[in-house]
């Protein structure tokens, strides 16, 4: 269960969300898209087109190909969603090619949709039907969504209930903007919401469904709107992987020379630790992303070379902070150290 | 015997302690009731195999009673109608408007009460993890009551042990959770507190563990005994070393 904290204006998390779905289409997985804001049909029309050019020689991060290789196991699913096009500056030894590349400026051609089966859940269309799920004190929109997911899983045999099914496939679930007022939840509106347990209960049951079937799920949430931080802590415990996107739009960091090459930061708050005592920790935890015309990349955060004679005071504190956080391997580290007090 | 051990983690994942205790007690021949709320059975099984214990076999010979919270919850909510006449699900509280954990306690009590022909040494209750119960709608008081009942039943009456895991954090804003954790700390005989390093993330030292033996509970005026080690988690075991003496540094 990948939990994504949306950036302020939702631009980049939408992109992540679409990548997840697009990858599903290219891999031939089934899709399930749920949204309360935009109709899933529209979301699907906006998916980026895959680049099928094999001469693109960049290294890839790990991906939900972990999902693919665990194709034939009966339970538990995670999606290590580390972007389709990451570019790690320190090259790892293995040049494994996971996933596919996408061109953000083009839309996915409709022919690719034909081969896969996709299901959608648009809240406003579903409100008329009755929930069949047994009552459990949860927000009814969430209850309906769970009902719908459970039905698809059991009908399409993702939980192994149909032994006759010759080819096992994976269901990729994307849930957009969960927790926003459009889903009928008021955790974004007040500090003491009426029902603080709806979202966490929903995630718990969703986790159960994912563990029981061959599926992976990405959830995006407007975390910056949720007033009650206790909920975010609980949600982090309930998810396998938590990634936060912080975009620089409208914040003071936009003009900060530190960050001039990037559009935002990626905070990896939690990584999955499944089936093992250890987890796969990468060397660095400072990642930034940028959206170029065609590519969306995530890179290790590099301080740009400090060429000015006098560094402005405002960014000095920032530089020192970031320099402390950065692991070795950053070219401009020496400059940061100037400002550190020993 | 008859002890409550609290496993606590802050800024890191303390589940390796749960895996340790699970395999430890199973190897010691105890009857274990494991309330696993957050992960699936196969996850624990795979890790336990690396630690040298087979959970499936333990379940089959009756040594391990495994409550898989995720699965149980799905059965409760999406299950077929004919399951109604059976006894209430341990996670019954999910559907009630004033949730209390009596059904869960009954489940624990029934699983650990020795039956004829049982030759296991002391019963053990293991919970992973208690903080999840709060996320599911239980109040801290209900959770504390549950632990209290478990202690009375498992520790005092059956002379067994109880081990629970909770998450906490120093700057946490989850007041209910902090209340739960603080209260449990006061009642525990032994606290194992795994913390992420204060200086941040490190590849060679995954965290620090504080072992607190609550001598003050046993005798008035005694101080608690505190030991601190750092640790690194590997694929099949965890290595502990004194602070600052990680092999990467030496």
């Amino acid at each position: 269960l990948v939990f994504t904290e949306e950036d302020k204006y939702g631009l980049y998390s939408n992109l992540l969300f679409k990548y997840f779905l697009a990858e599903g289409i290219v891999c031939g997985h089934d899709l399930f898209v749920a949204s309360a804001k935009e109709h899933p049909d529209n979301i699907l029309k906006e998916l980026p087109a895959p680049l099928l050019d094999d001469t693109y020689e960049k290294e890839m991060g790990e991906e939900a190909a972990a999902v693919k290789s665990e194709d034939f196991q009966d339970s538990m699913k995670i999606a290590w969603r580390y972007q389709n096009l990451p570019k790690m500056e320190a090259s790892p030894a293995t040049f494994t090619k996971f996933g596919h590349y996408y061109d953000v400026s083009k839309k996915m051609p409709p022919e690719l949709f034909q081969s896969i089966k996709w299901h959608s859940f648009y809240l406003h269309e579903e409100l008329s039907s009755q929930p069949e799920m047994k009552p459990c004190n949860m927000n009814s929109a969430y209850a309906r969504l769970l009902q719908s997911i459970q039905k698809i899983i059991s009908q399409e045999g993702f939980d192994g209930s149909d032994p006759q099914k010759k080819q096992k496939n994976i269901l990729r679930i994307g849930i957009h903007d969960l927790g926003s007022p459009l889903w009928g939840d008021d955790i974004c509106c007040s500090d003491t919401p009426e029902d603080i347990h709806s979202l966490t209960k929903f995630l718990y049951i969703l986790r159960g469904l994912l563990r029981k079937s061959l599926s992976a799920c990405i959830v995006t949430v407007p975390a910056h709107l949720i007033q009650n931080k206790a909920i975010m802590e609980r949600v982090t415990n309930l998810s396998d992987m938590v990634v936060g996107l912080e975009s620089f739009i409208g914040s003071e960091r936009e003009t900060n020379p530190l960050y001039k090459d990037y559009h935002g930061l990626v905070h990896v708050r939690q990584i999955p630790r499944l089936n093992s005592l250890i987890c796969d920790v990468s060397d660095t935890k400072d990642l930034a992303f940028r959206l170029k015309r065609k590519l969306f990349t995530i890179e290790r955060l590099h301080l740009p070379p400090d060429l000015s004679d006098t560094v402005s005071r405002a960014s000095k504190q920032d530089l020192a902070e970031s320099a402390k956080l950065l692991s070795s391997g950053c070219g401009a580290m020496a400059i940061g150290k100037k400002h550190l007090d020993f | 015997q008859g002890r409550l051990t609290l496993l606590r983690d802050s800024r890191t994942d303390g589940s390796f302690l749960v895996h340790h205790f699970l395999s430890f007690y199973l190897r010691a021949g105890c009857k274990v009731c494991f309330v696993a709320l957050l992960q699936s059975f196969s996850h624990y099984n795979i890790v336990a195999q690396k630690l040298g214990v087979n959970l499936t076999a333990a379940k089959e010979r009756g040594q391990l009673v495994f409550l898989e919270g995720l699965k149980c919850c799905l059965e409760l909510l999406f299950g077929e109608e004919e399951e109604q006449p059976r006894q209430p699900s341990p996670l019954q509280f999910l559907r009630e408007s004033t949730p209390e954990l009596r059904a869960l306690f009954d489940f624990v009590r029934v699983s650990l009460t020795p039956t004829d022909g049982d030759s296991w040494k002391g019963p053990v209750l293991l919970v992973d993890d208690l903080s999840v119960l709060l996320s599911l709608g239980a109040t801290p008081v209900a959770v504390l009551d549950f632990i209290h009942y478990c202690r009375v039943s498992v520790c005092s009456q059956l002379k067994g042990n109880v081990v629970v895991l909770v998450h906490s954090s120093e700057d946490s804003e989850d007041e209910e959770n902090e209340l739960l954790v603080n209260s449990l700390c006061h009642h525990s005989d032994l606290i194992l507190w795994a913390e992420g390093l204060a200086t941040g993330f490190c590849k060679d030292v995954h965290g620090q563990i504080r072992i607190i033996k609550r001598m003050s509970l046993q005798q008035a005026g005694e101080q608690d005994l505190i030991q601190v080690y750092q640790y690194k988690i590997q694929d099949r075991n965890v290595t502990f070393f004194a602070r600052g003496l990680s092999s990467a540094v030496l």
Side-chain angles (χ1 to χ4, degrees):
Chain A
L1 172 58
V2 180
F3 190 88
T4 311
E5 296 169 9
E6 287 177 11
D7 52 297
K8 214 153 157 203
Y9 300 105
L11 288 173
Y12 299 108
S13 55
N14 267 346
L15 204 49
L16 247 186
F17 191 74
K18 286 174 188 164
Y19 266 113
F20 183 81
L21 297 173
E23 182 64 16
I25 294 186
V26 177
C27 290
H29 300 156
D30 285 2
L31 292 186
F32 182 104
V33 185
S35 159
K37 193 154 66 168
E38 219 182 304
H39 197 284
D41 291 343
N42 291 338
I43 295 180
L44 284 173
K45 287 202 192 93
E46 303 263 310
L47 297 182
L51 282 169
L52 298 167
D53 187 8
D54 276 313
T55 60
Y56 230 31
E57 203 64 65
K58 273 194 184 170
E59 57 237 36
M60 298 288 296
E62 289 170 278
E63 196 255 28
V67 159
K68 216 172 174 180
S69 60
E70 284 165 356
D71 233 346
F72 301 99
Q73 261 177 6
D74 262 337
S75 57
M76 124 305 300
K77 260 328 141 206
I78 53 146
W80 171 275
R81 199 62 201 164
Y82 215 60
Q83 280 304 304
N84 281 316
L85 305 177
K87 187 181 175 211
M88 290 297 159
E89 292 303 319
S91 51
T94 51
F95 253 59
T96 44
K97 189 175 190 307
F98 279 122
H100 302 83
Y101 302 99
Y102 294 90
D103 180 347
V104 190
S105 56
K106 297 203 201 114
K107 300 276 177 285
M108 180 166 285
E111 310 84 63
L112 287 177
F113 283 101
Q114 312 296 351
S115 50
I116 63 127
K117 217 168 172 188
W118 60 276
H119 316 276
S120 73
F121 179 96
Y122 185 48
L123 182 63
H124 306 291
E125 277 172 9
E126 304 281 337
L127 280 175
S128 45
S129 57
Q130 281 299 321
E132 296 154 26
M133 198 168 103
K134 306 192 175 108
C136 65
N137 289 326
M138 196 186 343
N139 175 328
S140 71
Y142 295 156
R144 271 174 238 267
L145 177 53
L146 283 172
Q147 179 72 39
S148 180
I149 294 177
Q150 194 268 345
K151 215 190 307 190
I152 300 288
I153 288 180
S154 67
Q155 275 173 359
E156 303 285 326
F158 289 106
D159 57 355
S161 57
D162 182 7
Q164 303 302 327
K165 206 171 163 83
K166 32 343 191 251
Q167 203 185 25
K168 294 193 188 178
N169 200 353
I170 294 178
L171 177 66
R172 278 185 189 232
I173 305 176
I175 305 179
H176 191 247
D177 232 19
L178 196 63
S180 75
L182 289 169
W183 286 95
D185 199 346
D186 66 346
I187 53 177
C188 290
C189 307
S190 92
D191 202 2
T192 48
E194 228 178 271
D195 179 12
I196 58 170
H197 297 121
S198 267
L199 180 62
T200 44
K201 271 193 202 164
F202 170 80
L203 284 175
Y204 187 77
I205 300 172
L206 177 63
R207 189 183 169 100
L209 285 172
L210 293 176
R211 289 287 194 272
K212 194 177 98 142
S213 60
L214 291 172
S215 47
C217 177
I218 185 171
V219 174
T220 71
V221 166
H224 54 278
L225 292 176
I226 295 181
Q227 318 274 4
N228 187 336
K229 293 300 166 204
I231 297 183
M232 284 312 298
E233 291 174 22
R234 292 182 181 177
V235 154
T236 304
N237 277 335
L238 290 170
S239 315
D240 292 310
M241 181 175 169
V242 181
V243 173
L245 293 173
E246 180 191 342
S247 87
F248 296 146
I249 301 175
S251 84
E252 58 185 12
R253 289 184 171 174
E254 199 170 9
T255 45
N256 189 327
L258 256 189
Y259 298 123
K260 69 171 164 56
D261 289 331
Y262 303 103
H263 289 117
L265 296 175
V266 175
H267 302 285
V268 179
R269 302 200 199 279
Q270 180 163 283
I271 41 183
R273 195 187 284 246
L274 278 185
N275 292 337
S276 167
L277 277 178
I278 55 176
C279 54
D280 184 22
V281 216
S282 64
D283 281 338
T284 177
K285 285 196 155 186
D286 297 293
L287 303 164
F289 64 84
R290 66 172 122 178
L291 177 60
K292 297 193 270 212
R293 197 179 66 86
K294 278 192 173 190
L295 300 173
F296 180 68
T297 62
I298 287 188
E299 305 170 359
R300 219 185 252 208
L301 177 62
H302 266 83
L303 287 178
D306 187 12
L307 299 171
S308 63
D309 290 327
T310 56
V311 182
S312 71
R313 292 282 142 185
S315 64
K316 211 176 182 182
Q317 190 56 37
D318 243 15
L319 266 176
E321 281 293 298
S322 310
K324 269 190 243 163
L325 291 174
L326 279 176
S327 52
S328 59
C330 173
M333 189 66 168
I335 298 178
K337 275 194 178 133
K338 247 199 278 176
H339 306 287
L340 282 175
D341 294 317
F342 283 97
Chain B
Q1 293 285 49
R3 295 205 303 185
L4 170 62
T5 303
L6 182 67
L7 305 175
R8 184 177 171 178
D9 61 28
S10 309
R11 294 192 305 264
T12 188
D13 185 9
S15 56
F16 69 95
L17 293 168
V18 174
H19 293 298
H20 160 72
F21 276 101
L22 180 59
S23 51
F24 171 73
Y25 280 119
L26 281 175
R27 264 189 295 218
C30 296
K31 180 153 188 190
V32 179
C33 174
F34 187 10
V35 177
L37 294 172
L38 210 49
Q39 300 282 16
S40 61
F41 176 75
S42 59
H43 165 78
Y44 293 105
N45 200 10
I46 293 177
V47 181
Q49 276 172 356
K50 292 187 186 164
L51 297 176
V53 173
N54 188 333
L55 294 187
T56 322
K59 254 207 319 189
E60 276 164 18
R61 57 176 182 254
Q63 189 186 9
L64 172 66
V65 178
F66 193 99
L67 173 62
E68 192 174 341
L70 291 168
K71 196 165 89 156
C72 182
C73 161
L74 288 183
E75 280 165 5
L76 174 68
L77 295 172
F78 297 114
E80 305 296 324
E81 282 306 317
E82 70 244 29
E83 287 190 19
Q84 291 293 7
R86 283 209 261 152
Q87 62 195 137
S89 159
L91 294 183
Q92 190 65 27
F93 72 95
L94 279 172
R95 292 171 54 178
E96 292 159 12
S97 46
T98 47
E100 52 151 42
L101 300 167
R102 171 165 287 276
L104 188 55
F105 165 68
D106 285 333
F107 172 83
V108 168
R109 187 176 47 86
V110 165
S111 356
L112 287 181
T113 307
T115 55
D116 302 326
D118 255 358
S119 60
W120 310 113
K121 306 194 188 102
V124 175
L125 167 64
L126 186 57
V127 183
D128 175 18
D129 68 60
L130 222 49
S131 306
V132 171
L133 290 174
L134 292 177
S135 303
L136 292 176
T139 58
V141 175
V143 179
L144 287 170
D145 280 345
F146 165 70
I147 290 293
H148 175 76
Y149 274 90
C150 286
R151 286 182 75 200
V152 168
S153 156
V154 177
C155 296
S156 305
Q157 288 171 354
L158 298 172
K159 305 277 180 281
N161 290 329
V162 175
V163 181
V164 298
L165 173 71
V166 286
H167 298 296
S168 80
S169 154
E170 255 137 33
D171 50 359
S172 163
E173 295 201 18
D174 190 345
E175 286 170 7
E176 288 187 343
N177 193 39
E178 290 306 301
L179 173 69
L180 178 66
V181 172
N182 284 329
S183 183
L184 284 174
C185 276
H186 284 298
H187 288 120
S188 309
D189 299 294
L190 176 68
I191 304 177
L192 294 173
W193 190 351
E195 293 175 283
L197 294 177
T199 43
F201 165 69
C202 169
K203 216 166 51 158
D204 295 301
V205 179
H206 289 144
Q208 166 174 293
I209 183 164
R210 233 188 285 194
I211 305 176
I212 306 175
K213 293 200 177 99
R214 306 284 323 282
M215 313 296 271
S216 52
L217 284 182
Q218 292 170 13
Q219 226 179 332
E222 281 283 330
Q223 290 278 28
D224 290 341
L225 189 65
I226 304 183
Q227 292 168 307
V228 186
Y229 297 102
Q230 289 178 337
Y231 63 86
K232 175 175 170 157
I233 305 178
Q234 290 152 333
D235 193 39
R236 278 170 192 268
N237 85 43
V238 181
T239 44
F240 294 90
F241 38 86
R243 274 184 293 188
L245 294 180
S246 148
S247 53
V249 168
L250 289 174

